[in-house]
Amino acid sequence: MRVSSQHLSMFVLLGSLHIASSCAAPQSTPPAAERQAAVAVPGTGQTTATVRVETGVLQGAVSEAGVSYKNIPYAAPPVGDRRWRAPAPAERWDGVRDATRYGRDCMQNRQSWDSMAPTQPQSEDCLYLNIWSPASAGEKSKLPVLVAIHGGGFVAGAGSQAVLDGSKLSARGAIIVTFNYRLGRFGFFAHPALSAESPGSAVGNYGFMDQIAALQWVQRNIAAFGGDPANVTVFGESAGGESINYLMLAADARGLFAKAMVQSGGGRSPWPKLSEDRPNLPSAEAVGRKFATKAKVASDDAAALRAVSAAKVLGGISLIDNDGGTYSGPMIDGRIVTAAVSDGFAQGRQAQIPYWIGSNSNEFGFLPGFLLGRSNSKLVEQFGFDEAQLIAGYGSKDAYEANFASDVTFTEPARYLATAAAAKQPVYLWRFAYVVESKRKSSKGAAHATDLPFTLGNLAANGDKIGDADRLAAQQFGDALIAFARTGVPAIEGQPAWPRYAAKEGRMVEFSEKGIVITSAASLALDAIAQQFAKRTSAP
């Protein structure tokens, strides 16, 4: 799930849940790949393989599924004086670096109820990525590359999560990449002292700078693993999907990926500006000053801020806590993020590449009724909507109460962005409605993030009891994703062809236990939400 302080409308406020040129500069082109023969590791039952990248030689692990390389530094550790700076190039190493185990996760407060949370030790030194490739891949293979950007509300998650293990999807003929990026106040923090020391440079959204640096690393190095740098697909769920929407608008991310898939990525969330207060939304720098006061950093002293302990910087930030209003989350910084994603797409400024976007059929289905009602009220209040008009759009108060929170947060924004982009590029709008066999009697639809175990085929990651029908559905989901990565068109053998979305026809795909169903994106309820957004004098 994704929540940051400005996303209070989604969880926290409800009381229910709570790059610019300064980015890492490209290094010299790495030498030709040297994928060596597998070597047995005595007593482990494993074999290893090596590959050379721009900073040295990596030793990965070989399994029946293929080869994995983990804990690969894509940038220098952002510690000490590098805290709250753009990522610097990774340092070279001598000899062979062990890449058979995950590295450290970025600093975060984990929630006991999050069954898909990462489990590695944590550190500020966390800018590492992981790669899976088929055993037969070689330097000249030019396989499609899929890069996952993890979710977690910009405050949690990691490339090491079991649900993101790339071995199953990679075995089907693709290179899979996952990576960490700075989270919480380590990744999204602004303060006048930090802005003053970097005039004209990107500040504040360090997590986005990390994402761009990781994608730049992929461009420079992925051929060594058998991947095609000209055919990179980014995909992400929740905050990962929201990141992709903004990267599609970021000048420094242009050309780093050729296709994009967004799962429950929102698109209407209000983000604060770097230094300018907005109605009911203080600037990120104002929030940063509040944190500095709490941390007893009295002066505008960047060095003193960087000297604050990691424990204090982490604070109580989590998916349900913005640490007393001292965490702003991502912001409109004027360099990487220049406007709300809805505005950028409306103006046609997004990368014009194949775009697969959608949401789940019952995103907030995990909430009990009384909390869902509270959520609706808070959302109506935050966005200044007319509740009576919304209820009229839904046709009944019961339908409104059951669906509004999901629709305004995820469903309508996905349709809006699809409509805005469809005139410029191939767009595929979809709805994930599949519920695992063991939960069909108790569930009213696919809740937020329940699509994630199907994305890479890791069905056990959520702790659900899995049946044969679930495995088949995951196989089909993987078929569609691999086809999209190869050709830009989702396709499943034996299932109806996915229609390209166009606002006039409004056809979309629903993926459920019935397989692929072509349906209509038309909805009076979503129209009512869209009309309410259009009436607002300022973009969300």
Side-chain angles (χ1 to χ4, degrees):
M1 298 178 189
R2 67 188 180 88
V3 184
S4 51
S5 64
Q6 73 277 9
H7 296 133
L8 300 181
S9 62
M10 299 177 192
F11 299 101
V12 186
L13 183 60
L14 309 182
S16 57
L17 296 173
H18 179 27
I19 292 222
S21 58
S22 59
C23 288
Q27 300 182 19
S28 58
T29 302
E34 296 180 5
R35 176 73 64 82
Q36 298 179 359
V39 178
V41 180
T44 67
Q46 286 188 325
T47 57
T48 64
T50 60
V51 64
R52 181 180 294 277
V53 296
E54 62 189 0
T55 45
V57 178
L58 298 165
Q59 177 178 280
V62 179
S63 68
E64 291 183 2
V67 186
S68 64
Y69 296 87
K70 300 173 180 176
N71 195 26
I72 307 170
Y74 69 84
V79 300
D81 188 55
R82 288 177 176 161
R83 178 193 282 175
W84 294 320
R85 294 190 191 275
E91 298 176 355
R92 297 181 182 275
W93 61 83
D94 295 324
V96 178
R97 178 185 174 91
D98 179 19
T100 60
R101 300 176 180 84
Y102 286 119
R104 293 173 286 271
D105 294 338
C106 291
M107 299 290 289
Q108 58 194 275
N109 288 308
R110 292 171 176 150
Q111 306 298 295
S112 60
W113 45 262
D114 186 355
S115 61
M116 292 190 287
T119 58
Q120 298 300 307
Q122 299 179 36
S123 173
E124 283 191 77
D125 177 6
C126 62
L127 300 186
Y128 301 94
L129 52 76
N130 316 292
I131 297 174
W132 290 262
S133 64
S136 60
E139 181 188 2
K140 297 181 180 180
S141 297
K142 290 192 174 181
L143 296 173
V145 180
L146 292 106
V147 180
I149 301 181
H150 73 76
F154 300 107
V155 300
S160 65
Q161 290 174 256
V163 74
L164 296 179
D165 182 286
S167 57
K168 295 182 180 67
L169 197 60
S170 174
R172 303 173 70 168
I175 308 298
I176 312 299
V177 182
T178 69
F179 64 90
N180 300 337
Y181 55 93
R182 282 172 282 182
L183 301 168
R185 210 160 14 228
F186 298 94
F188 302 94
F189 179 74
H191 190 280
L194 299 176
S195 300
E197 70 178 8
S198 302
S201 299
V203 294
N205 288 316
Y206 304 103
F208 288 149
M209 298 181 205
D210 295 342
Q211 293 177 7
I212 292 173
L215 290 168
Q216 290 172 335
W217 189 98
V218 168
Q219 285 294 309
R220 299 193 303 270
N221 293 276
I222 205 63
F225 300 86
D228 182 359
N231 188 16
V232 174
T233 298
V234 288
F235 66 103
E237 185 269 342
S238 201
E242 188 163 18
S243 296
I244 290 169
N245 282 332
Y246 278 96
L247 291 177
M248 289 180 68
L249 294 166
D252 281 6
R254 196 57 53 91
L256 297 181
F257 50 93
K259 306 176 186 74
M261 184 181 78
V262 171
Q263 301 163 256
S264 302
R268 297 284 204 175
S269 303
W271 284 14
K273 292 187 175 181
L274 176 68
S275 56
E276 178 184 342
D277 290 339
R278 304 175 70 185
N280 302 315
L281 199 61
S283 72
E285 287 187 346
V287 176
R289 280 186 178 277
K290 187 175 180 180
F291 166 73
T293 299
K294 180 180 178 181
K296 298 182 179 180
V297 178
S299 63
D300 286 352
D301 185 344
L305 278 171
R306 291 193 175 94
V308 173
S309 70
K312 283 188 177 180
V313 174
L314 176 61
I317 297 170
S318 72
L319 289 169
I320 59 174
D321 192 345
N322 68 352
D323 204 27
T326 62
Y327 170 59
S328 71
M331 66 206 73
I332 299 174
D333 62 80
R335 292 295 301 273
I336 300 171
V337 179
T338 58
V341 67
S342 54
D343 288 346
F345 272 66
Q347 296 162 9
R349 294 193 288 108
Q350 75 281 357
Q352 294 174 20
I353 58 178
Y355 184 50
W356 169 358
I357 182 172
S359 59
N360 290 3
S361 62
N362 192 15
E363 297 274 1
F364 282 84
F366 54 88
L367 288 181
F370 76 96
L371 290 181
L372 194 58
R374 186 185 303 173
S375 301
N376 292 338
S377 299
K378 291 294 185 180
L379 285 162
V380 167
E381 178 184 353
Q382 179 186 10
F383 290 120
F385 285 172
D386 184 322
E387 189 173 46
Q389 290 183 8
L390 292 170
I391 293 173
Y394 277 94
S396 72
K397 189 172 183 179
D398 287 346
Y400 159 75
E401 290 180 344
N403 297 292
F404 173 68
S406 295
D407 287 346
V408 74
T409 307
F410 298 106
T411 313
E412 189 280 335
R415 192 185 72 165
Y416 176 85
L417 295 179
T419 300
K424 299 279 188 179
Q425 62 213 85
V427 173
Y428 300 92
L429 179 64
W430 87 317
R431 176 167 56 231
F432 183 87
Y434 189 91
V435 177
V436 295
E437 289 183 287
S438 61
K439 290 187 174 180
R440 288 179 191 169
K441 291 183 179 180
S442 60
S443 175
K444 296 181 180 180
H448 190 64
T450 57
D451 55 326
L452 195 52
F454 290 81
T455 307
L456 291 95
N458 299 310
L459 295 180
N462 200 25
D464 293 329
K465 182 180 178 181
I466 302 302
D468 290 340
D470 306 326
R471 296 183 187 94
L472 176 59
Q475 176 76 18
Q476 293 177 334
F477 194 146
D479 287 345
L481 183 52
I482 289 292
F484 183 69
R486 287 175 176 160
T487 69
V489 179
I492 300 174
E493 185 176 357
Q495 295 284 332
W498 289 45
R500 179 169 168 173
Y501 179 78
K504 186 176 181 180
E505 292 88 10
R507 292 183 301 161
M508 64 179 290
V509 164
E510 181 171 274
F511 183 85
S512 70
E513 57 268 22
K514 298 177 182 179
I516 292 297
V517 177
I518 311 302
T519 185
S520 173
S523 165
L524 293 177
L526 298 188
D527 290 344
I529 294 171
Q531 290 165 6
Q532 298 265 357
F533 274 123
K535 289 179 181 178
R536 300 187 64 199
T537 56
S538 59

